[in-house]
Amino acid sequence: MKKRIVYTILFLILVMIIGYFCKDSAIATDFYHKNMEPSFAYPFGTDWMGRNLFFRTLRGLSISLFIGVIASTFSALIALFFGVLSVFGGKKIDTVITWWIDLMMGLPHLLLLIVLSMVVGRELKGVIFSIALTHWTSFARLIRSELLQLKEKHYIQIAKKLGKGNRYIFQKHMLPHLLPQFIVGWILLFPHAILHESSMTFLGFGLNSNQPAIGILLSESMQYLVTGRWWLAVFPGFLLVLIVLLLYCLGKDLQKYTSQK
C-alpha cells in the first residue's frame, strides 16, 4: 500500500511537471496536420487547427491539478478554522456555524459555484475562489465531530482540570490525532475540485477559452463528435476520469494507512 501511495503521488507530480513545460506545444498550430486520427506521431490525434491533443490534454490536466491543490488547500483550512471555532467558540457560535453549514449544503452546488465565479470575475481566480468557498462544509462537519469526540477523552478532561487552556489542549493533545485525518480529507477534496472546475469550464463559466483546460477541450469536442472525430473527447475525458479516480484511491489508501498506525 505504501508503494502504491508513493507511485500515485509521483505520477501526479509527473503529470503536473510535463503539463507545465509543454505550454508552447499545447497551443502550437499546424494546419498541414489537422484532424488527424491517433497515430505514433500524434498519440491522441490533432484537432481542427492541427494542435497536438496529447500535449493539450497534459496541459489541461496540469491546470486542473494546480487548481485542485490551491482550492483544496484553502477549503481544508477554512474547514479546520470553522470546525475548531465551532467546538471551542461556545454554544452560540456552534449553533451559527452549524446552521451556516446546513444552509450551504442545502443550496444547489453547481449553481453556487457559477454565481461565485461570476462575482469574482471568472477565469483562474474566480474558479479557485468559488471552489474554495463551497467545498469546506462537509469537511468542517467531520472535523467538528472528531474534535467533539476527542474533547470527551480522559486525558483532555485531566488537562482541563490542570488549568490548561483551549489553545494548549488543541495544539498538544488534539492536533496530533486530527492531522492524519486532515491530510486525508484534504486529498479527498481534490477529485471534487477537479471535477467541478471541469464542469464549470465545460459550461462556459470557468477558465478562459484560450487555455487548454480539460473542460474547454471537452466543450469544443462536442461540435466535432458528429463528424467522427471521437478522439477529441475520448482521450481528455478518459484521463480526467483516471486522475480523479487516482486521487480518490490515494485518499482512501492514506486513510487505511493512517488508521493502521
Side-chain angles (χ1 to χ4, degrees):
M1 183 184 296
K2 189 176 180 179
K3 287 185 178 179
R4 188 167 58 198
I5 292 172
V6 173
Y7 291 151
T8 303
I9 294 174
L10 289 176
F11 175 76
L12 294 173
I13 293 174
L14 182 64
V15 170
M16 290 189 68
I17 293 174
I18 295 175
Y20 177 80
F21 285 105
C22 71
K23 180 180 179 180
D24 294 333
S25 301
I27 61 176
T29 58
D30 183 4
F31 290 99
Y32 289 103
H33 298 90
K34 62 180 182 179
N35 299 322
M36 293 189 65
E37 294 187 5
S39 61
F40 182 77
Y42 300 98
F44 290 2
T46 61
D47 63 8
W48 58 97
M49 296 179 67
R51 293 172 296 191
N52 194 318
L53 192 62
F54 176 75
F55 292 121
R56 287 179 65 77
T57 302
L58 288 178
R59 178 64 180 171
L61 288 174
S62 69
I63 293 173
S64 296
L65 286 170
F66 173 77
I67 292 174
V69 169
I70 303 299
S72 298
T73 300
F74 280 110
S75 190
L77 291 175
I78 293 171
L80 179 63
F81 173 77
F82 281 109
V84 173
L85 185 62
S86 179
V87 172
F88 293 104
K91 190 174 182 180
K92 290 184 178 180
I93 294 179
D94 180 44
T95 302
V96 172
I97 292 175
T98 303
W99 174 83
W100 182 252
I101 290 174
D102 291 337
L103 177 65
M104 290 279 290
M105 295 182 71
L107 295 173
H109 199 73
L110 188 57
L111 179 62
L112 186 60
L113 281 167
I114 293 172
V115 171
L116 287 174
S117 178
M118 293 182 69
V119 168
V120 177
R122 296 174 57 182
E123 301 202 10
L124 186 64
K125 180 176 68 174
V127 171
I128 292 175
F129 181 83
S130 60
I131 292 174
L133 287 186
T134 55
H135 284 66
W136 60 271
T137 50
S138 298
F139 195 21
R141 178 177 285 179
L142 180 64
I143 291 174
R144 174 182 175 273
S145 175
E146 185 65 25
L147 289 176
L148 286 175
Q149 293 181 24
L150 288 172
K151 202 174 181 181
E152 300 301 320
K153 298 292 184 180
H154 292 299
Y155 60 91
I156 301 293
Q157 299 297 325
I158 293 172
K160 284 184 178 180
K161 291 179 180 179
L162 291 173
K164 302 297 182 181
N166 289 334
R167 182 176 178 180
Y168 177 89
I169 291 173
F170 174 73
Q171 291 180 345
K172 297 295 182 180
H173 298 295
M174 291 185 169
L175 190 57
H177 291 276
L178 188 65
L179 190 58
Q181 297 186 37
F182 176 79
I183 294 174
V184 172
W186 170 57
I187 292 175
L188 287 174
L189 286 174
F190 277 47
H192 298 279
I194 291 174
L195 281 177
H196 281 117
E197 175 271 318
S198 300
S199 301
M200 291 170 61
T201 304
F202 178 82
L203 295 172
F205 297 98
L207 300 177
N208 191 290
S209 58
N210 295 326
Q211 299 187 51
I214 294 297
I216 291 173
L217 295 182
L218 293 174
S219 179
E220 291 176 345
S221 69
M222 295 297 102
Q223 307 171 39
Y224 299 93
L225 285 179
V226 293
T227 62
R229 301 170 196 170
W230 52 270
W231 60 90
L232 297 177
V234 169
F235 290 113
F238 173 76
L239 284 183
L240 174 63
V241 173
L242 177 64
I243 292 295
V244 170
L245 288 176
L246 282 176
L247 286 167
Y248 177 78
C249 292
L250 175 62
K252 291 296 182 182
D253 286 343
L254 279 173
Q255 191 174 34
K256 293 178 183 178
Y257 182 73
T258 54
S259 64
Q260 291 174 359
K261 290 194 166 186

